[in-house]
Amino acid sequence: MGYHFIERTAVPAWGPQQGEPLVAAGTVAGAMDASFSNTSTLEIFRLPASDDAAGALAAAGQAEAAARFQRLAWSAHGAQALGVLAGGLENGDVTFWDPQAILDGGKDAVLHTSSAHTGAVCGLEFNPQQPGLMASGATNGEVFVWDIVSEYKSHAAGARSSRMENVTDLAWNNQVQHILVTASNSGALV
């Protein structure tokens, strides 16, 4: 019995849809790959249903990104057939892609890009109870909540905490839809 693998230095995200298993991979920030390339790519891979052809998987579709990825999240929500992929990039951008457009060749795959953050976006997650909402956190303690239903508008998630220096990760509460926790390099969870 063999196994399948993806030969990439990348940030992953599983596709949320039922049926065919998909995984997205965005070129990770702060690392070099075997080819020493400085490009940034978002790729989608189809995982085979059987173990018959074990080995490295080839990308089923790809799109270029403006910078390398710190985080990647995938929501089933949205008008697109495969939902919405969101990337938190090292340059502070948050970019939303149409996964089906990536699989169809990458043309017109970007749905929206915002430079709301002033530093690398290190936390990114869709709300599990309201998948039309996504939170992003970055250096300088910045936290935004995005409404992908209302034209990708972002709102500050309250006043910036003096205990937060750089947001290193964040997560929505799985039972109470409006509670968000953020982690910081200062050792604080807020």
Side-chain angles (χ1 to χ4, degrees):
M1 178 175 159
Y3 63 93
H4 301 282
F5 55 92
I6 298 169
E7 292 183 311
R8 300 288 186 277
T9 306
V11 175
W14 283 104
Q17 65 284 346
Q18 298 294 321
E20 181 182 34
L22 299 172
V23 65
T27 308
V28 72
M32 292 297 280
D33 62 12
S35 69
F36 297 102
S37 171
N38 63 358
T39 62
S40 181
T41 306
L42 176 58
E43 299 173 290
I44 298 178
F45 296 84
R46 287 187 166 100
L47 278 64
S50 69
D51 292 334
D52 295 339
L57 296 175
Q62 70 179 31
E64 296 300 315
R68 290 186 172 217
F69 291 80
Q70 294 282 5
R71 292 285 188 267
L72 192 59
W74 196 335
S75 173
H77 195 77
Q80 297 71 30
L82 294 176
V84 175
L85 260 168
L89 306 180
E90 65 184 344
N91 66 354
D93 285 357
V94 174
T95 302
F96 298 88
W97 285 271
D98 176 353
Q100 186 63 57
I102 294 172
L103 289 171
D104 292 341
K107 186 175 168 105
D108 299 325
V110 173
L111 299 169
H112 180 77
T113 297
S114 173
S115 299
H117 289 288
T118 59
V121 180
C122 297
L124 192 72
E125 184 174 272
F126 284 97
N127 188 314
Q129 295 189 26
Q130 291 185 321
L133 294 180
M134 185 194 77
S136 63
T139 55
N140 301 324
E142 300 169 333
V143 178
F144 291 104
V145 175
W146 301 81
D147 184 350
I148 66 169
V149 177
S150 297
E151 300 178 4
Y152 303 95
K153 292 185 179 172
S154 65
H155 307 279
R160 188 177 298 175
S161 171
S162 61
R163 298 185 52 113
M164 300 293 285
E165 290 179 20
N166 297 325
V167 174
T168 56
D169 204 358
L170 52 78
W172 288 101
N173 184 296
N174 286 323
Q175 296 179 357
V176 183
Q177 65 187 6
H178 62 274
I179 296 178
L180 176 71
V181 66
T182 57
S184 172
N185 64 337
S186 64
L189 292 175
V190 178

